[in-house]
Amino acid sequence: MVLKIRKHGDPVLRMQALPVKKINEEIQALAKNMLDTMYAADGIGLAANQVGIPVRIVVIDVGEGPITLFNPRIVNHGEDKAVLREGCLSVPGLTGEVERWKKITVEGMTQNGVGCEKLEAEGLLARALQHEIDHLDGVLFLDKAKNIEEEEEDEE
Ligand code: ZN
């Protein structure tokens, strides 16, 4: 099911998301709907805040298959940062250059909820994870971006 994506200005995007306590059916369904919503919007990542529910869930697919993480947190990072232009489904029409870690290690629970998954990520996946985890803390890329530009409207 495709959910409504909240846009910049909606207070839920500024909320500190609460931890997922138990990965029950309701939470699993929400995560699945988030993936549906992300794919429908041609995005590569989505945080639960963006569909109006401030709990710590992110979904990501940078072209390597879907990843769902509950309570993700960055536990380690490399020494190098990179600057890249990024956008956000909640901030349509704007992009900006954001500096982020090139390599990170993220811990979180995966779909089945068994144990704690440790994920080493670099490149686009590392960037998407940092962007989405920021959402869970009420942070938008606009807060960190330089050279914010308006994008041409897609004519579809
Ligand atoms: Zn975003």
Side-chain angles (χ1 to χ4, degrees), residues 54-82:
V55 295
R56 303 189 83 81
I57 308 173
V58 303
V59 296
I60 285 176
D61 189 342
V62 295
E64 298 162 1
I67 296 172
T68 301
L69 283 174
F70 304 95
N71 304 330
R73 55 193 188 94
I74 297 164
V75 294
N76 209 347
H77 57 74
E79 288 182 2
D80 298 333
K81 289 183 165 184

Side-chain angles (χ1 to χ4, degrees), residues 103-118:
K103 282 187 188 181
I104 55 169
T105 306
V106 173
E107 269 184 15
M109 281 187 291
T110 52
Q111 191 69 42
N112 58 20
V114 177
C116 213
E117 186 87 348
K118 217 172 205 169

